[in-house]
Amino acid sequence: QVQLVESGGGLVQAGGSLRLSCAASGSIARVNAMGWYRQFPGKQRELVATITADGSTNYVSSVKGRFTISRDNAKNTVYLQMNSLKPEDTAVYYCNARVRSSGSFLWHDYWGQGTQVTVSS
């Protein structure tokens, strides 16, 4: 079994910064792409940023220049550095990882439990 555990959410004033972390653990053979998504109240989950195993990144336009996704492959951990936060960034943030478990040839997507980010004006 594979688990993703997130940390780093919280309350911050507009213009401030937060850093989210998400560590994958369990019977892992390999981790492919990792990413961060967010969900606003009453809305569907949306992509924030992704990063491939070799470090290629992709961002939703609304966070470009403010958020930075990175990863530590040795620790199976993905990070999201969020700077210049705005009230409209307030959401529950979820991490995602595509993982091949030990002893398997199949890839599966796993999700973290979600962490609340609240930006006050």
Side-chain angles (χ1 to χ4, degrees):
Q1 189 61 287
V2 175
Q3 300 85 34
L4 300 185
V5 178
E6 303 168 11
S7 60
L11 173 64
V12 65
Q13 287 189 332
S17 298
L18 284 174
R19 188 189 195 212
L20 305 183
S21 300
C22 173
S25 63
S27 301
I28 296 172
R30 189 166 181 180
V31 180
N32 199 341
M34 304 183 82
W36 290 95
Y37 293 71
R38 63 187 178 185
Q39 190 166 17
F40 303 109
K43 302 290 186 181
Q44 288 189 331
R45 200 171 295 183
E46 67 173 34
L47 171 72
V48 176
T50 59
I51 184 168
T52 63
D54 63 2
S56 297
T57 59
N58 181 54
Y59 298 91
V60 67
S61 58
S62 59
V63 308
K64 283 182 181 178
R66 300 189 299 122
F67 292 10
T68 302
I69 189 170
S70 61
R71 63 190 287 171
D72 184 333
N73 289 334
K75 297 180 179 179
N76 290 329
T77 299
V78 62
Y79 306 96
L80 186 68
Q81 178 67 44
M82 304 184 292
N83 299 329
S84 302
L85 281 160
K86 304 176 181 180
E88 51 264 42
D89 294 317
T90 296
V92 179
Y93 285 71
Y94 297 88
C95 67
N96 169 270
R98 177 152 292 185
V99 178
R100 182 165 61 84
S101 299
S102 300
S104 174
F105 294 101
L106 301 177
W107 295 89
H108 294 281
D109 282 329
Y110 293 90
W111 293 90
Q113 79 279 9
T115 185
Q116 177 70 46
V117 171
T118 302
V119 185
S120 63
S121 57

